[in-house]
Amino acid sequence: MAKLVLNIDGIEDDFFTGARMLGIMSQTKNFRFCWLVNTHLHVDFRLNADAEIQLNKKGRNYFFEVYQFCEPGCETEHYIYHNQFEGEHLLPEFKHFDFLWLAKSANLNDEDFLLLQQNLKKINGVQLVTELTPEKIKNKTNLIF
């Protein structure tokens, strides 16, 4: 019998095409953080229960919430991942980040992305915002829902 193997390289390439990421440090609770982002940036992030990521580690299930916002009138999608659940991390290589922001667009330019970073830094409770390059992300498949 032939053994079938799922090729996740193609899935990763498709998912991350046109994507840019930010790592965010903030001790704010996830729902409060999204409320602050919505209020200060005039966006409408909502919890996407269908995109919640479940990882099984050490014989236990861990659930990582994903919030989503689609910019009206363009193809840009934004996702905020909560990087922690009961001591485990969605991206263990970035344990110091509480949230991960993924922006997907065919036309997200450097100026807009820099402006996003600067505006996030102005939110009360946000301690650090930095761009994460795809080469630094070891567990990309953990972000795919």
Side-chain angles (χ1 to χ4, degrees), residues 20-82:
R20 295 184 70 178
M21 282 194 69
L22 297 172
I24 303 166
M25 285 178 62
S26 174
Q27 296 300 313
T28 309
K29 295 278 187 195
N30 50 351
F31 57 88
R32 174 122 171 98
F33 176 75
C34 283
W35 179 82
L36 288 168
V37 167
N38 286 342
T39 301
H40 291 280
L41 301 183
H42 307 289
V43 293
D44 190 24
F45 273 97
R46 303 261 173 130
L47 179 64
N48 184 342
D50 294 333
E52 180 179 72
I53 297 171
Q54 177 181 343
L55 296 181
N56 188 306
K57 294 182 177 184
K58 303 173 190 168
R60 237 182 113 201
N61 289 325
Y62 296 91
F63 302 92
F64 300 91
E65 292 181 339
V66 178
Y67 295 82
Q68 180 178 4
F69 167 68
C70 297
E71 288 185 32
C74 70
E75 298 177 9
T76 305
E77 299 175 53
H78 298 271
Y79 301 93
I80 296 175
Y81 298 81
H82 192 214

Side-chain angles (χ1 to χ4, degrees), residues 95-134:
K95 289 180 181 181
H96 51 286
F97 292 121
D98 302 294
F99 300 97
L100 306 164
W101 183 303
L102 176 72
K104 292 177 64 169
S105 176
N107 57 1
L108 185 63
N109 63 45
D110 290 337
E111 281 182 25
D112 290 341
F113 199 65
L114 183 60
L115 183 61
L116 171 63
Q117 290 178 59
Q118 291 169 345
N119 287 332
L120 282 170
K121 289 177 184 178
K122 294 177 185 177
I123 296 175
N124 190 25
V126 172
Q127 298 150 333
L128 176 69
V129 178
T130 190
E131 185 167 4
L132 305 176
T133 58

